[in-house]
Amino acid sequence: MTVSGRSMSDRDRPRIGGERALVLGGGGSTGNAWSIGVIAGLLDAGLDMTRADLIVGTSAGSTTAAQITGSSPTELFAATIAAAPQPRTAPAGSGGQPAAIGPVADQMERSARIIAAAENAADMRRKMGAAAIELAAASDDARQAQWRATVAARLPNHDWPECLLLITAVDADTGEAVVFDCHSGVELVDAVAASCSSGPAYRIGGHQFIDGGYRRNENADLAAGYERVLVLSPFGGSSRHPQGWGMQLAAQVDELRACGSRVETIFPDIDAEYMIGAIVMDPTLRPLAAQAGYDQGKALADQIAELWR
């Protein structure tokens, strides 16, 4: 598959080594806020994650990656803390959850059925892509335009950054993993919109894409060849897929270490209420998640400094 003549196949992407890599996993709206908080906390402690030689962003992590390379993490954190979304409201009988979470819960149920029926990871990606294409066909072009506008509004800069940034997705037609970068002929907004597309497929040119988390939730293995790797995983390294598929973060970390990389991971606190199920899409919990991440970043700074410096 090519866009503007450049292959975007994960298989064909050249492996580039370096010193420091930052990997930002998926985790919904609250996961994005938590990651921003961690990075801001580390920055206030003297560790600038935005100076990594490589940044890998997946799903909500792709949004985080585009945000921290386009604006100051300190400003992003302050804006997240200061945000005052409308109080949670929901129809009677919904369990008190915001109405917007309904479609997310539906998607989680739909994807769980597909995962359960899949023979392996490749089969799952193909089935997930087919389901996403059906959802996209049932909606009009206005839905895609609205999603693109939503993503664009979240990014402080729509240009690819100077650092090496990799944004992951999956080709909905073939199930093939895809990695976007500044040479892919794809605008940054479209790359992020594709990487975050967990429901209907997102169209770029003649191809349709789904969430990069269907490749792997963190995609830390893309940092192979880098000496030091820091992984932020809002979902705590967990995976909804069978262990035998090797999708979980532990398998990715083992692969990196086997290739000689030093790896550190940061997870939310084990009892974090903002990272449970469909609640990760609740915007009212973003300030809480961001503050928790900031506190963790500050507390872990000495430990991370041994890796990063």
Side-chain angles (χ1 to χ4, degrees):
M1 178 183 57
T2 60
V3 170
S4 297
R6 179 179 171 85
S7 169
M8 295 190 300
S9 161
D10 178 28
R11 180 182 62 245
D12 297 333
R13 187 184 67 82
R15 305 294 171 179
I16 304 173
E19 291 188 9
R20 298 180 297 186
L22 174 66
V23 177
L24 302 170
S29 181
T30 58
N32 164 258
W34 173 82
S35 296
I36 287 173
V38 171
I39 293 166
L42 290 170
L43 180 61
D44 280 0
L47 301 175
D48 188 354
M49 299 296 106
T50 69
R51 301 189 68 176
D53 300 297
L54 167 70
I55 299 179
V56 178
T58 295
S59 195
S62 72
T63 303
T64 309
Q67 288 171 326
I68 65 169
T69 55
S71 182
S72 161
T74 301
E75 293 178 0
L76 292 167
F77 171 68
T80 305
I81 291 294
Q86 294 299 312
R88 282 190 267 183
T89 58
S94 67
Q97 302 297 343
I101 287 180
V104 180
D106 291 343
Q107 172 61 19
M108 290 185 69
E109 292 178 6
R110 184 165 46 245
S111 59
R113 291 194 298 270
I114 292 172
I115 292 169
E119 297 180 2
N120 50 45
D123 185 46
M124 178 273 295
R125 294 185 192 104
R126 289 190 293 269
K127 285 182 167 65
M128 207 71 75
I133 290 172
E134 282 189 22
L135 285 175
S139 62
D140 56 25
D141 289 342
R143 188 267 171 200
Q144 162 132 344
Q146 181 181 27
W147 176 234
R148 190 183 194 281
T150 297
V151 172
R154 294 171 178 167
L155 307 187
N157 192 322
H158 294 176
D159 296 324
W160 285 90
E162 292 184 4
C163 70
L164 178 57
L165 171 60
L166 303 181
I167 301 294
T168 66
V170 172
D171 188 314
D173 294 293
T174 65
E176 182 181 52
V178 170
V179 179
F180 297 110
D181 63 18
C182 64
H183 302 294
S184 298
V186 170
E187 293 185 14
L188 179 61
V189 171
D190 287 313
V192 173
S195 187
C196 296
S197 187
S198 60
Y202 184 81
R203 186 177 64 257
I204 303 176
H207 296 275
Q208 299 186 78
F209 301 92
I210 57 174
D211 198 296
Y214 293 126
R215 179 190 181 274
R216 274 175 154 180
N217 197 59
E218 297 84 9
N219 292 301
D221 56 292
L222 294 179
Y226 284 78
E227 295 177 14
R228 292 164 284 165
V229 181
L230 177 64
V231 184
L232 271 59
S233 177
F235 285 133
S238 64
S239 173
R240 300 169 66 205
H241 307 96
Q243 289 286 105
W245 292 3
M247 302 276 280
Q248 65 274 17
L249 178 58
Q252 301 168 46
V253 170
D254 286 345
E255 292 167 19
L256 287 171
R257 287 175 175 161
C259 293
S261 298
R262 291 180 57 196
V263 185
E264 290 284 352
T265 59
I266 301 180
F267 304 154
D269 291 335
I270 194 167
D271 59 348
E273 66 170 289
Y274 49 85
M275 289 307 305
I276 301 174
I279 205 81
V280 301
M281 298 309 296
D282 185 349
T284 68
L285 293 177
R286 283 178 57 79
L288 171 65
Q291 186 63 59
Y294 180 87
D295 294 341
Q296 280 188 272
K298 292 272 284 189
L300 293 171
D302 288 343
Q303 174 185 331
I304 300 305
E306 294 183 13
L307 172 82
W308 207 248
R309 289 175 177 165

Short mmCIF file of all heavy atoms in Angstrom, two decimals, residues 169-210:
data_model
loop_
_atom_site.label_atom_id
_atom_site.label_comp_id
_atom_site.label_asym_id
_atom_site.label_seq_id
_atom_site.Cartn_x
_atom_site.Cartn_y
_atom_site.Cartn_z
N ALA A 169 -1.60 2.46 12.93
CA ALA A 169 -2.99 2.18 12.55
C ALA A 169 -3.00 0.78 11.95
O ALA A 169 -1.98 0.09 11.90
CB ALA A 169 -3.50 3.21 11.54
N VAL A 170 -4.18 0.35 11.51
CA VAL A 170 -4.34 -0.94 10.84
C VAL A 170 -5.19 -0.72 9.60
O VAL A 170 -6.21 -0.04 9.66
CB VAL A 170 -5.01 -1.98 11.76
CG1 VAL A 170 -5.34 -3.26 10.99
CG2 VAL A 170 -4.10 -2.30 12.95
N ASP A 171 -4.76 -1.26 8.47
CA ASP A 171 -5.53 -1.18 7.23
C ASP A 171 -6.79 -2.01 7.39
O ASP A 171 -6.73 -3.23 7.58
CB ASP A 171 -4.69 -1.70 6.07
CG ASP A 171 -5.34 -1.48 4.72
OD1 ASP A 171 -6.54 -1.76 4.58
OD2 ASP A 171 -4.64 -1.02 3.79
N ALA A 172 -7.95 -1.36 7.32
CA ALA A 172 -9.21 -2.07 7.56
C ALA A 172 -9.52 -3.07 6.46
O ALA A 172 -10.23 -4.05 6.69
CB ALA A 172 -10.36 -1.05 7.68
N ASP A 173 -9.03 -2.84 5.25
CA ASP A 173 -9.31 -3.74 4.13
C ASP A 173 -8.51 -5.03 4.21
O ASP A 173 -9.02 -6.11 3.88
CB ASP A 173 -9.02 -3.03 2.80
CG ASP A 173 -9.96 -1.87 2.55
OD1 ASP A 173 -11.16 -2.11 2.35
OD2 ASP A 173 -9.49 -0.72 2.56
N THR A 174 -7.28 -4.95 4.67
CA THR A 174 -6.38 -6.11 4.65
C THR A 174 -6.02 -6.65 6.03
O THR A 174 -5.55 -7.77 6.15
CB THR A 174 -5.07 -5.75 3.93
OG1 THR A 174 -4.37 -4.75 4.71
CG2 THR A 174 -5.34 -5.20 2.53
N GLY A 175 -6.20 -5.82 7.06
CA GLY A 175 -5.76 -6.20 8.39
C GLY A 175 -4.28 -5.98 8.61
O GLY A 175 -3.74 -6.34 9.66
N GLU A 176 -3.60 -5.38 7.63
CA GLU A 176 -2.16 -5.15 7.73
C GLU A 176 -1.86 -3.97 8.64
O GLU A 176 -2.51 -2.92 8.56
CB GLU A 176 -1.58 -4.89 6.34
CG GLU A 176 -0.08 -4.69 6.31
CD GLU A 176 0.44 -4.41 4.91
OE1 GLU A 176 -0.10 -3.49 4.25
OE2 GLU A 176 1.35 -5.12 4.47
N ALA A 177 -0.86 -4.13 9.51
CA ALA A 177 -0.43 -3.04 10.37
C ALA A 177 0.22 -1.94 9.54
O ALA A 177 0.91 -2.21 8.55
CB ALA A 177 0.54 -3.55 11.42
N VAL A 178 -0.01 -0.70 9.95
CA VAL A 178 0.47 0.46 9.22
C VAL A 178 1.16 1.42 10.18
O VAL A 178 0.74 1.57 11.33
CB VAL A 178 -0.71 1.19 8.52
CG1 VAL A 178 -0.28 2.53 7.95
CG2 VAL A 178 -1.30 0.32 7.42
N VAL A 179 2.23 2.04 9.73
CA VAL A 179 2.92 3.06 10.51
C VAL A 179 3.05 4.33 9.68
O VAL A 179 3.64 4.30 8.60
CB VAL A 179 4.32 2.58 10.95
CG1 VAL A 179 5.03 3.68 11.74
CG2 VAL A 179 4.23 1.32 11.79
N PHE A 180 2.47 5.40 10.17
CA PHE A 180 2.57 6.70 9.50
C PHE A 180 3.73 7.49 10.08
O PHE A 180 3.98 7.46 11.29
CB PHE A 180 1.30 7.54 9.70
CG PHE A 180 0.05 6.93 9.13
CD1 PHE A 180 -0.95 6.45 9.95
CD2 PHE A 180 -0.15 6.89 7.75
CE1 PHE A 180 -2.11 5.92 9.44
CE2 PHE A 180 -1.32 6.35 7.22
CZ PHE A 180 -2.30 5.87 8.07
N ASP A 181 4.42 8.23 9.21
CA ASP A 181 5.41 9.20 9.67
C ASP A 181 5.34 10.41 8.74
O ASP A 181 4.46 10.50 7.87
CB ASP A 181 6.81 8.60 9.75
CG ASP A 181 7.36 8.14 8.40
OD1 ASP A 181 6.84 8.58 7.35
OD2 ASP A 181 8.32 7.34 8.40
N CYS A 182 6.27 11.34 8.90
CA CYS A 182 6.20 12.58 8.13
C CYS A 182 6.43 12.37 6.65
O CYS A 182 6.19 13.28 5.84
CB CYS A 182 7.19 13.60 8.68
SG CYS A 182 8.94 13.11 8.55
N HIS A 183 6.92 11.19 6.25
CA HIS A 183 7.18 10.91 4.84
C HIS A 183 6.07 10.08 4.19
O HIS A 183 6.20 9.69 3.03
CB HIS A 183 8.51 10.16 4.71
CG HIS A 183 9.69 10.89 5.27
ND1 HIS A 183 10.17 12.06 4.73
CD2 HIS A 183 10.47 10.61 6.36
CE1 HIS A 183 11.20 12.47 5.44
NE2 HIS A 183 11.40 11.61 6.43
N SER A 184 5.00 9.82 4.91
CA SER A 184 3.95 8.93 4.40
C SER A 184 3.00 9.59 3.42
O SER A 184 2.16 8.91 2.83
CB SER A 184 3.15 8.35 5.57
OG SER A 184 3.95 7.57 6.42
N GLY A 185 3.08 10.92 3.27
CA GLY A 185 2.14 11.60 2.40
C GLY A 185 0.77 11.75 3.02
O GLY A 185 -0.23 11.95 2.32
N VAL A 186 0.69 11.64 4.33
CA VAL A 186 -0.56 11.74 5.08
C VAL A 186 -0.43 12.88 6.08
O VAL A 186 0.58 13.00 6.78
CB VAL A 186 -0.86 10.42 5.83
CG1 VAL A 186 -2.02 10.57 6.80
CG2 VAL A 186 -1.14 9.30 4.83
N GLU A 187 -1.43 13.74 6.16
CA GLU A 187 -1.38 14.84 7.12
C GLU A 187 -1.45 14.30 8.54
O GLU A 187 -2.07 13.26 8.81
CB GLU A 187 -2.54 15.81 6.85
CG GLU A 187 -2.43 16.54 5.53
CD GLU A 187 -3.52 17.58 5.34
OE1 GLU A 187 -4.19 17.93 6.34
OE2 GLU A 187 -3.69 18.04 4.20
N LEU A 188 -0.82 15.02 9.47
CA LEU A 188 -0.77 14.58 10.85
C LEU A 188 -2.17 14.37 11.42
O LEU A 188 -2.42 13.39 12.12
CB LEU A 188 0.01 15.60 11.70
CG LEU A 188 0.12 15.28 13.19
CD1 LEU A 188 0.86 13.97 13.42
CD2 LEU A 188 0.83 16.43 13.92
N VAL A 189 -3.08 15.28 11.13
CA VAL A 189 -4.45 15.15 11.64
C VAL A 189 -5.08 13.85 11.17
O VAL A 189 -5.73 13.14 11.96
CB VAL A 189 -5.32 16.35 11.20
CG1 VAL A 189 -6.79 16.11 11.55
CG2 VAL A 189 -4.83 17.64 11.83
N ASP A 190 -4.88 13.49 9.91
CA ASP A 190 -5.47 12.25 9.39
C ASP A 190 -4.81 11.02 10.02
O ASP A 190 -5.48 10.03 10.31
CB ASP A 190 -5.33 12.19 7.88
CG ASP A 190 -6.27 13.15 7.18
OD1 ASP A 190 -7.46 13.18 7.53
OD2 ASP A 190 -5.82 13.88 6.28
N ALA A 191 -3.51 11.08 10.23
CA ALA A 191 -2.81 9.95 10.86
C ALA A 191 -3.35 9.71 12.26
O ALA A 191 -3.62 8.56 12.65
CB ALA A 191 -1.31 10.21 10.90
N VAL A 192 -3.52 10.78 13.04
CA VAL A 192 -4.04 10.65 14.39
C VAL A 192 -5.50 10.18 14.37
O VAL A 192 -5.90 9.31 15.15
CB VAL A 192 -3.90 11.98 15.16
CG1 VAL A 192 -4.60 11.90 16.52
CG2 VAL A 192 -2.43 12.34 15.34
N ALA A 193 -6.29 10.74 13.47
CA ALA A 193 -7.70 10.34 13.37
C ALA A 193 -7.83 8.87 13.03
O ALA A 193 -8.72 8.17 13.55
CB ALA A 193 -8.41 11.19 12.31
N ALA A 194 -6.96 8.36 12.17
CA ALA A 194 -6.98 6.93 11.83
C ALA A 194 -6.56 6.09 13.02
O ALA A 194 -7.18 5.06 13.32
CB ALA A 194 -6.06 6.68 10.64
N SER A 195 -5.52 6.51 13.72
CA SER A 195 -5.01 5.74 14.85
C SER A 195 -6.01 5.65 15.98
O SER A 195 -5.99 4.68 16.76
CB SER A 195 -3.71 6.38 15.38
OG SER A 195 -3.10 5.56 16.35
N CYS A 196 -6.91 6.64 16.09
CA CYS A 196 -7.91 6.67 17.16
C CYS A 196 -9.27 6.13 16.71
O CYS A 196 -10.24 6.24 17.47
CB CYS A 196 -8.10 8.10 17.65
SG CYS A 196 -6.64 8.83 18.42
N SER A 197 -9.34 5.58 15.52
CA SER A 197 -10.63 5.17 14.97
C SER A 197 -11.01 3.77 15.43
O SER A 197 -10.77 2.78 14.75
CB SER A 197 -10.59 5.21 13.43
OG SER A 197 -11.87 4.97 12.89
N SER A 198 -11.63 3.67 16.60
CA SER A 198 -11.97 2.37 17.18
C SER A 198 -13.36 1.90 16.80
O SER A 198 -13.72 0.76 17.07
CB SER A 198 -11.86 2.43 18.70
OG SER A 198 -12.75 3.39 19.23
N GLY A 199 -14.17 2.76 16.17
CA GLY A 199 -15.50 2.37 15.72
C GLY A 199 -15.53 2.22 14.22
O GLY A 199 -14.95 1.28 13.67
N PRO A 200 -16.20 3.15 13.52
CA PRO A 200 -16.18 3.11 12.05
C PRO A 200 -14.77 3.33 11.50
O PRO A 200 -13.96 4.02 12.11
CB PRO A 200 -17.10 4.29 11.66
CG PRO A 200 -17.94 4.54 12.86
CD PRO A 200 -17.09 4.21 14.04
N ALA A 201 -14.48 2.73 10.37
CA ALA A 201 -13.18 2.91 9.73
C ALA A 201 -13.01 4.36 9.28
O ALA A 201 -13.98 5.04 8.95
CB ALA A 201 -13.05 1.96 8.53
N TYR A 202 -11.77 4.81 9.28
CA TYR A 202 -11.46 6.18 8.86
C TYR A 202 -10.79 6.13 7.49
O TYR A 202 -9.82 5.40 7.30
CB TYR A 202 -10.54 6.86 9.88
CG TYR A 202 -10.25 8.31 9.56
CD1 TYR A 202 -11.17 9.30 9.90
CD2 TYR A 202 -9.07 8.68 8.92
CE1 TYR A 202 -10.91 10.63 9.61
CE2 TYR A 202 -8.80 10.00 8.63
CZ TYR A 202 -9.72 10.97 8.97
OH TYR A 202 -9.46 12.29 8.67
N ARG A 203 -11.28 6.92 6.57
CA ARG A 203 -10.80 6.87 5.19
C ARG A 203 -9.73 7.93 4.95
O ARG A 203 -9.88 9.10 5.29
CB ARG A 203 -11.98 7.09 4.24
CG ARG A 203 -11.62 6.93 2.76
CD ARG A 203 -12.84 7.10 1.88
NE ARG A 203 -13.41 8.44 1.96
CZ ARG A 203 -14.49 8.76 2.65
NH1 ARG A 203 -15.14 7.83 3.33
NH2 ARG A 203 -14.94 10.00 2.68
N ILE A 204 -8.63 7.49 4.32
CA ILE A 204 -7.59 8.39 3.82
C ILE A 204 -7.34 7.99 2.38
O ILE A 204 -6.84 6.89 2.11
CB ILE A 204 -6.29 8.28 4.63
CG1 ILE A 204 -6.54 8.56 6.11
CG2 ILE A 204 -5.24 9.25 4.08
CD1 ILE A 204 -5.30 8.39 6.98
N GLY A 205 -7.69 8.85 1.46
CA GLY A 205 -7.55 8.50 0.05
C GLY A 205 -8.41 7.30 -0.28
O GLY A 205 -9.59 7.26 0.04
N GLY A 206 -7.82 6.28 -0.88
CA GLY A 206 -8.57 5.10 -1.25
C GLY A 206 -8.52 3.99 -0.23
O GLY A 206 -8.95 2.86 -0.53
N HIS A 207 -8.00 4.27 0.96
CA HIS A 207 -7.85 3.23 1.98
C HIS A 207 -8.63 3.61 3.24
O HIS A 207 -8.86 4.78 3.52
CB HIS A 207 -6.38 3.02 2.33
CG HIS A 207 -5.55 2.51 1.20
ND1 HIS A 207 -5.44 1.17 0.89
CD2 HIS A 207 -4.80 3.17 0.27
CE1 HIS A 207 -4.66 1.02 -0.16
NE2 HIS A 207 -4.25 2.22 -0.56
N GLN A 208 -9.02 2.58 3.99
CA GLN A 208 -9.71 2.79 5.26
C GLN A 208 -8.88 2.17 6.38
O GLN A 208 -8.23 1.14 6.20
CB GLN A 208 -11.10 2.17 5.22
CG GLN A 208 -12.00 2.76 4.14
CD GLN A 208 -13.42 2.24 4.22
OE1 GLN A 208 -14.20 2.67 5.07
NE2 GLN A 208 -13.76 1.30 3.35
N PHE A 209 -8.94 2.82 7.56
CA PHE A 209 -8.07 2.42 8.66
C PHE A 209 -8.85 2.30 9.96
O PHE A 209 -9.89 2.93 10.14
CB PHE A 209 -6.94 3.44 8.84
CG PHE A 209 -6.09 3.62 7.62
CD1 PHE A 209 -6.39 4.59 6.67
CD2 PHE A 209 -5.00 2.79 7.40
CE1 PHE A 209 -5.61 4.75 5.53
CE2 PHE A 209 -4.21 2.94 6.27
CZ PHE A 209 -4.52 3.91 5.34
N ILE A 210 -8.30 1.48 10.87
CA ILE A 210 -8.85 1.36 12.21
C ILE A 210 -7.75 1.59 13.24
O ILE A 210 -6.57 1.70 12.90
CB ILE A 210 -9.52 -0.02 12.44
CG1 ILE A 210 -8.54 -1.16 12.18
CG2 ILE A 210 -10.77 -0.15 11.59
CD1 ILE A 210 -9.08 -2.54 12.54
#
